Amino acid sequence: MLDFFFYVLLVGCFLFFVLPVSLLLHVNRPQISAPINAEICLGLYRACMGIALQIRDGQPYVRVVLFNRVIPHLSLRLSTEKKTTHSAPSKAEVPPQDQSIPPSHSPPPSEPPKPKNELKAMDWIRIGLPPALRFLKRFPRVFSLYYISVRGHFGLEDPMQTGTLYGYQRALLALPFKRLRLELIPDFCNQGLIGQARIAIGIHVGTLLLIALGFALHAVLRYVQTRYTSRPLRFH
């Protein structure tokens, strides 16, 4: 039995580092006067299983996601109320009023000796700047955009501006970007926005760990070269 749970845990860790972790952002507003409901889902393989943080009517909830559906029975409400208690200070904390504090004649602290071969600020910049630039260059590989979906009705104060914005939407849909889904219907009578927006992003944890490991090794090698060799560093 223990071997079975060990293999299950091993497979789960393998899938966690190999499969992308899905991050789903969902914002919903059913009516103009209604509050905005938000939801953040974090799960494996496009949120097939994971957890969801929902904010409905100003109250946060934590729910379980299974096969892209939120299970309503498995939920936990997060309390936002804070109880403050005013405690009176103890007698030990209140200093006496009539007792005078004698002046201290302790000698001034001596400055610690500076170590030899101390690195300057320019040396730290030369050590950390190239690994940081390489890390930032490779960092976008960690994320992958699944889709952006916006559906609903919208209306501005000026009906002409509403028509202009709808024209911009049609121009965006003509672009060869299949991951963008816009279905906004103009409302020339009412002012406001009703609908929902969803953004799905994939986070590759294994790629992030490899990039972070490469950054750490690169920075350590440059530090060792600066500290223990006389070869000058270059910005590359």
Side-chain angles (χ1 to χ4, degrees), residues 16-203:
F16 178 76
F17 288 106
V18 173
L19 296 180
V21 178
S22 298
L23 178 63
L24 177 62
L25 308 178
H26 182 204
V27 180
N28 182 22
R29 189 179 188 183
Q31 298 178 0
I32 295 179
S33 59
I36 298 177
N37 300 323
E39 179 181 351
I40 302 176
C41 296
L42 188 65
L44 290 175
Y45 195 64
R46 301 201 176 187
C48 282
M49 57 184 68
I51 59 175
L53 174 62
Q54 293 182 341
I55 301 178
R56 294 185 177 275
D57 300 330
Q59 298 294 332
Y61 296 88
V62 176
R63 303 181 186 273
V64 178
V65 179
L66 186 61
F67 297 107
N68 293 332
R69 293 186 179 273
V70 177
I71 301 177
H73 301 288
L74 300 177
S75 62
L76 176 63
R77 180 178 177 181
L78 302 180
S79 177
T80 57
E81 298 179 358
K82 296 182 180 180
K83 296 182 180 180
T84 57
T85 57
H86 301 279
S87 59
S90 59
K91 295 182 179 180
E93 297 177 355
V94 180
Q97 300 293 332
D98 299 334
Q99 185 178 0
S100 60
I101 302 175
S104 60
H105 299 283
S106 59
S110 59
E111 297 182 357
K114 297 183 179 180
K116 299 181 179 180
N117 299 329
E118 184 179 2
L119 296 179
K120 300 180 181 179
M122 196 62 185
D123 296 331
W124 287 109
I125 294 177
R126 290 177 178 176
I127 291 173
L129 184 59
L133 293 177
R134 183 175 297 182
F135 177 82
L136 294 177
K137 183 179 180 181
R138 299 177 179 178
F139 189 71
R141 302 178 184 177
V142 178
F143 302 96
S144 58
L145 179 62
Y146 292 148
Y147 64 87
I148 299 177
S149 176
V150 181
R151 299 178 180 178
H153 300 73
F154 74 97
L156 302 179
E157 184 178 0
D158 189 357
M160 185 177 297
Q161 295 179 357
T162 303
T164 304
L165 186 59
Y166 181 71
Y168 291 155
Q169 172 191 337
R170 303 303 300 179
L172 287 176
L173 293 177
L175 298 176
F177 189 65
K178 299 180 179 180
R179 299 178 181 178
L180 179 61
R181 309 168 186 172
L182 292 178
E183 297 181 7
L184 291 175
I185 302 176
D187 189 354
F188 298 98
C189 300
N190 300 319
Q191 180 181 357
L193 178 62
I194 302 173
Q196 61 180 355
R198 299 171 65 94
I199 301 176
I201 303 173
I203 304 174

